Amino acid sequence: MAQTILGLDLGTRAVKAVLLESAYRGFSVAGHAEVPLEPATEGLPSLRQRQAAALGRLLAEQGWKVDACVAVMPGATVASHVITLPFTDQRRIEQTIGFEVESQIPYELADSAWDWQPLAERGGAADLWVGVAPRAELTGLLALLAGAGLDPRTIAPAAPTLAALLGPGVLEAPATAPAADGAAAQGAATPVEAVLDLGEERTQLCLAAGGRLEAARTLALGAGGLARSLARDLDVPEADAARLLLGDAGGEPLTGALAALAAEPRTAEALRRALVPLVRELRATLRAWRARVGPRPLARLWLAGGLARLAGLPELLAAEVDGPVLPLALARPAADGLPAEAAPGLALALAAALRGHQGGRAGRLNLRRGDAAYTRDFEHLRGKVARLGVATSLVLLLAVASAGVNAFALSRREAQIDKVMCDVQTRILGKCFGNYEEALSVLRGRGVPGAAIPKGSAVEILADLSGRAPDGVSLRYDRIEVTDRKLHLQGSTDTAENVDKIVAALHGSRCFADARAAGVRKRSSDGKFEFSVDSALACGEPAQGGE
């Protein structure tokens, strides 16, 4: 059953959203939208109020039906730490990680919203990425979303959320990938890629291999900082500097004096100087990552955000990457619902929606823990329980029907068996008895055809005879004759006294009545005594004194 998942990116300049239709076998982009924030006014003085207003307008304009929501925690409020523990057991990590986090934050752990995600295991040790934010910030964000009628299942830090874009089949694979060969030469099973999302005030950097998080960091740099740096160097208003940046990034074409300023060499030089801090922070992050995991290559760097197509940016960053530096390019099915020109700017919202689609396959990072945990899963479960109840009822109904059919078949089979037994009784006894025990009694009686039926079988007689052999007596039977009334034995033994023992043993049996020795003769050839014994058969007859 398809489910609609809303991914939200609440920025300082705009609110961005991507709606996915998630199914078992894949997903499709059902919609996307971006609504700019209003300038700060007396009515909407705070950033959060303006975000709430923009989100309300976005949902009202789109009219989406949302089954689940994943929102990104603004990067400015989340502190990240990489913690290494000397073991990899998940239970021990859960028992220990809280103490490690508390020792690295400037406030009480109870006043924070935090979670962790494993990075890589190295020689029995576990590297963990930990995101921590003040609980008040989480509470405020949840209240903002609740005012818009949303109860997000997940609140995730921005930088590691981008790892969802680096999973299989989301981004378009370049035609040539020399870095992948280098990665294979280094022994890396899956090449490591990175996404650099340049936001308005923060830049998110995420490294992942096949969607598995390798490193993540939020940089205190963004388009706003670049515009302020350009404004200082070029001595122009900050608004004009921002328009210069957007023009270089493929936005609205520049005209007049701004177009002439953009063509001057000093503008390109000023932009290069403004980007130096970004290059420096990227270099430092990659060095820290390689110091932890070893000398692994970075196969590709994807550029996202409003400045993803900024002129000269790929060339500046190319020296830090072992592969190409490219604007974010989506593969199908994501590319079918998101225009290529809009994809970089909606990267973070798309990553959030993809994280909801991936479910348990995605990272475990979720700042909604403890008393702030998402609890509406039971409401979503209610519909599934109802469907499960209907399915169970159908199974029970089929079981009852099957039992009825089996009972009907057994009754017919029983009737057939009764008919056969009745036919046999009529043929042998001349009458059909309703109770088979009555038929057995008649078969055992005298003066009826059943009286001629032998009362004991030869197998029973031979078994009893074998069991009556005296202990310690050497005995050989040369001839055994069994009729319906008599037993005749011929054999040999060591002494004449043994013959008396044999006869005495037969007297103790219920089958052999009036047993006696008919003759005893010593053989001259070997000194053995030949004998013969005759006995009437009484098997099946009542015991003496019985009825």
Side-chain angles (χ1 to χ4, degrees), residues 80 129 159-160 203-206 215-219 280-282 284-285:
S80 63
W129 192 96
T203 293
Q204 313 297 335
L205 176 61
C206 176
R217 187 183 175 197
T218 297
L219 309 177
R280 182 175 61 246
E281 293 299 327
L282 173 63
T285 304

Side-chain angles (χ1 to χ4, degrees), residues 259-504:
L261 181 60
E264 294 182 12
R266 67 189 184 99
T267 302
E269 181 61 24
L271 179 58
R272 189 193 65 79
R273 288 195 300 270
L275 290 171
V276 166
L278 178 63
V279 178
R280 182 175 61 246
E281 293 299 327
L282 173 63
R283 183 184 303 124
T285 304
L286 294 180
R287 285 179 178 174
W289 166 64
R290 290 190 175 105
R292 179 168 51 83
V293 303
R296 295 178 63 183
L298 184 61
R300 278 178 292 276
L301 175 62
W302 299 98
L303 299 177
L307 301 182
R309 293 182 172 84
L310 185 63
L313 181 59
E315 291 75 15
L316 279 174
L317 301 179
E320 311 300 329
V321 184
D322 302 284
V325 179
L326 306 167
L328 197 73
L330 300 176
R332 298 184 64 184
D336 294 337
L338 276 179
E341 62 275 9
L346 295 169
L348 197 51
L350 175 62
L354 285 172
R355 191 189 186 286
H357 164 70
Q358 292 167 0
R361 295 170 292 161
R364 55 159 282 160
L365 272 172
N366 187 1
L367 298 180
R368 294 198 68 175
R369 298 179 60 192
D371 56 3
Y374 180 74
T375 57
R376 293 187 61 198
D377 282 326
F378 294 105
E379 296 183 17
H380 290 284
L381 190 61
R382 186 180 304 165
K384 296 181 180 179
V385 170
R387 291 192 294 273
L388 181 61
V390 172
T392 304
S393 300
L394 289 175
V395 171
L396 290 176
L397 181 61
L398 290 175
V400 170
S402 176
V405 170
N406 289 335
F408 177 74
L410 288 174
S411 65
R412 290 190 61 184
R413 183 63 176 168
E414 185 179 6
Q416 292 173 355
I417 294 173
D418 289 341
K419 185 177 184 304
V420 170
M421 290 185 65
C422 187
D423 293 341
V424 171
Q425 292 172 17
T426 303
R427 188 168 59 251
I428 296 175
L429 303 176
K431 180 182 178 181
C432 178
F433 295 87
N435 190 334
Y436 77 95
E437 293 180 350
E438 295 179 15
L440 290 177
S441 298
V442 172
L443 283 172
R444 295 191 184 102
R446 298 181 182 275
V448 295
I453 298 176
K455 306 300 188 295
S457 68
V459 175
E460 292 176 298
I461 295 169
L462 291 175
D464 196 10
L465 177 63
S466 175
R468 294 292 170 181
D471 294 335
V473 173
S474 176
L475 173 64
R476 174 178 176 176
Y477 290 123
D478 298 319
R479 184 176 181 182
I480 301 176
E481 291 182 5
V482 179
T483 67
D484 59 336
R485 297 178 179 275
K486 184 180 179 180
L487 169 69
H488 177 72
L489 300 176
Q490 290 183 1
S492 60
T493 184
D494 293 335
T495 64
E497 292 78 11
N498 288 347
V499 178
D500 295 333
K501 294 180 181 180
I502 295 170
V503 173

